[in-house]
Amino acid sequence: MLQLLTNANTLILATEEGGHAAEALSDGGLLASMAWLIPVVPMVAAFAIVFYGKRMPYKGWDIAIAVMGFEALYGTALLLAHIASPIAHDFQVEIARIGSMPIEWGWTVDGLSIMMYFLVGVVGFFVFLYAKGYMEGDIRFTWFFASFTLFAGGMLVLVSAPNMIQLIVGWELVGVSSWLLIGHYWEDHYASSSAIKAMLVNKAADVGLFVGAIIVSMSVGSFRFSDILHAVEGGAAEAPLLAQFAFWGGLALFIGAMGKSAQFPFHVWLPDAMAGPTPVSALMHAATMVTAGVYLVGRMFPLYLTDGFATEVRAVIIIIGGLTLFLTGLIALVQDDIKKVLAYSTLSQLGYMTAAMGAGAYTAGLFHLFTHAFFKALLFLGAGSVIHSVHSNNMSDMGGLRKTMPWTYRTFLVGSLALAGIPLFAGFFSKDEILASLNYAIGKFSTADGGSSVATIVLILAISGAFITAFYMARTVMLTFHGEYKGQAHPHESPKIMWVPLVGLAVPSAVIGFMNWPGLTSTFTDVVGGRAVRVLDHHATEFDYLMLSFGLTAAVAGGLIGMRIWGPDKETQAARDTFRIPLLYPLLENKYYIDDLYMDGVIRPIRGPVARAINWTNGYVIDFVVNGAGLLARSVGKVVYWFDQRGVDGAIHASGAVTGAGGGMLRLLQTGKVQQYAILIFAATVILVAGLVIWF
Amino acid sequence: MNDWLTQAENWAFILIALPMVLGAWRSVTSRNVVHSVLFLVITLAASAALFLLLGAEFVAWSVVLVYIGAVIVLFLFGIMITRAPLGMETELSHSNQTKLGAALVSGALFALITVAVITGFGETEIVSNPTRTSEIGQSMFERFVIPFEVVSVVLLAALIGGIVLARRDPAEPGDSSSSLGGAQSAHVTAEGGEA
Amino acid sequence: MILGQFIILGAALFSLGVYGVLTRRNAVLVLLSVELMLAAVNINFVAFDTYARDVTAGGQIFSLFVIAVGAAEVGIGLAIVLLIFRNRESANVDELDLMKL
């Protein structure tokens, strides 16, 4: 059925260091052996903020920012050390045991996790800096920073995990702290129900993660990633059990990843997660939480790319990615809430990453994750700055803000250009690499069973996605910063503590793409390729000019058309009206009715009957059990009494008397007195156990 | 049987078991609440002695510390607080009819277990092997560390639950709001005065 | 020593505990009888531990857990009794017949 991929193993190696020669990897010395501090410090700090935060001069923010500063410095130091000489460090200590499988705690320091440490640390630092200004005056200021630190810490636990168990712990920590943060304004019904929605959708997908972790770990006999991936490296003949179950294990793990990374059927929680404070959205959509799924696929990448294992799952991954990137991008076109536009754009970009992973492009997918984190955090913080100033989320209340908020405007523009994929900004390089790798993958899928046509469709979707991205970003910038101001409040530039982080993020958004300039630099490829296991990968060593021209044309055309339709000088209401295509527009505005489908199709039909079933159980089953116990005692008594009457044995007299008393008590059954119920329960138990003892 | 009686350990067992059963019997039948609790002390002390006989030292001293030390005091407090009748009291137990039913049920239970044990184990010998506390500690923190953590959570939950349940509600809401309102109005008046 | 003597002693204690639970009217004394049952369970655990010669001393560990859970149960139980006493001016179990609606 899913035999779309036949010759996946012809892909080239990522790097020399990360490939065969494990001896070229250093163990990282003190820097790597002290890396346990990375997850532990924020976890401790989260509790410290809860208990001591209120007594600190800045109400706990000072602890939080110190922690994130530490993370940023440590992440940068690790990244630089890793670029100088690749590190692969892995340490685990047993804390408990399930059967023969030890449950271990430890930390891993390799290219993939170092990239994430750096990302969470640096982006987190700027977001925390900004959050002080944004959350100023909030009634739960200290609590916010405690749960925010827990959120970052949970992500670091997840990233530092060297085994499945710790990954699941981090995964759930991120889940529970995101619930706390989305529901931060829980007095608002929308916020609290959004938090619950995020939790439930994630939980539904987490079942996949648990099942996948169990299948994969049990068939290898170890929870360690290193053992699992080395088993994969050994080939299907060496690990027959894993090869047998790899498809289902890989698929289940990907379903888990779909939940956290908000892929197509599970994407519904992410736009509603906007109900949380804007810094939360920024961190959640950039470095934390939604990257977890892509990270998981990256961590398990050899499983999906080695022949004989879960290679078929990649067909699912690429299709889901293609659908997500296109469908959610379209929704972003019609949103009025600026944060919702950005949320749907995040979904669309996550679709790109997933599609790249599905195409077997490890570097391209992670590179887009990396660059996207910077400019998406920047865009969210910019949007937050605007919202802070105009006191509304709706773009219909904004407009003309470029004069009153110059710094926000400049940085937001940088973020938009990066997201749209305009050359030399970070998003250009990563999106181009994804398009190139999708194009490359078409040739790698077999033509016989339609695999290559699926890949071609995904490529077309991705190029259209580039057009849509540029289009809605042009719309957002135009409606927010150009034209006439339409709101009621008096906009003003945000305080310095808020726009300085914007500048701090705008710089990497502009330049970080140079890390992987095809044909010129391959720093990022070397970073994420520097792992203890061989990662099969293909990455562009030079520009794929065909794809480059397609992508660039789409982006520029999207941007120009968007600017023309939504532009200020031509208040072309007619053009906007033609944009409101009948049927399609309401479909998009209602988000393809997927939320309604879930509500009416899944939740309502379950909720009503469950409530009725519980009521019915209370009314009938429990009474029935109590009555039944009495009746059972009496009928057993009758039988025994019958024996007794026949004079089988005088010794049975005693039990006859017991049951006689039981039968007599049946009249008193419905007294409501606990102890009489207890007598009956004990009597029934004794009789049943006696029956069991005699039976055997 | 003669063989059984020649072992000194078994005499020790009898010396422990007799007061134990008697204490338990009096504990569930005594008509004085405080006596009932004190008989429980005898039973628990005897069970601690039994654990020593079986070589389970740590368990024995845990029983002494936790049960005889803490739980009994808790019971006595419970009796005092609920103002249970302290003297002789006839109404402490149910009517004779209920007692008969309960006696039959518990008698049947005892008979059942006895028969099952005798048919199941017969005269299986056991030999006391003293377990050192260090072994218990090692086992508890290696093999049983997760149950141990779970128990600690249970204890925490019980602690919080006990506080929440037994805590008296703070002053009536009506009172507090009126006093607060009074304070606020006083404050407003003071400000008004200044202005 | 034979295994049976400990188990039968435990059974006797357990049955007495059951008797107490079923006949006592005062809620504190019901809890006390439950403690008796837990003590019987502990005796069984330790006796079977000695019998099985478990290297991890699992029976003893679990009797320690029983002690801990028993202590928690007394704490919560007495708190509930206290609450009932406050609300109904009585700690007698047979006056609590709200289960009969």
Side-chain angles (χ1 to χ4, degrees), chain A residues 670-673 675 678-679, chain C residues 21-22 24 30 94 97 100:
Chain A
Q670 296 297 348
T671 53
K673 299 225 157 70
Q675 280 165 317
I679 287 183
Chain C
V21 169
L22 296 182
R24 288 302 201 177
V30 172
D94 55 351
D97 49 5
K100 186 172 82 171

Side-chain angles (χ1 to χ4, degrees), chain C residues 15-37:
Chain C
S15 306
L16 284 169
V18 169
Y19 178 77
V21 169
L22 296 182
T23 56
R24 288 302 201 177
R25 289 179 69 221
N26 187 307
V28 178
L29 292 178
V30 172
L31 280 178
L32 188 143
S33 308
V34 172
E35 291 306 312
L36 218 49
M37 290 159 75

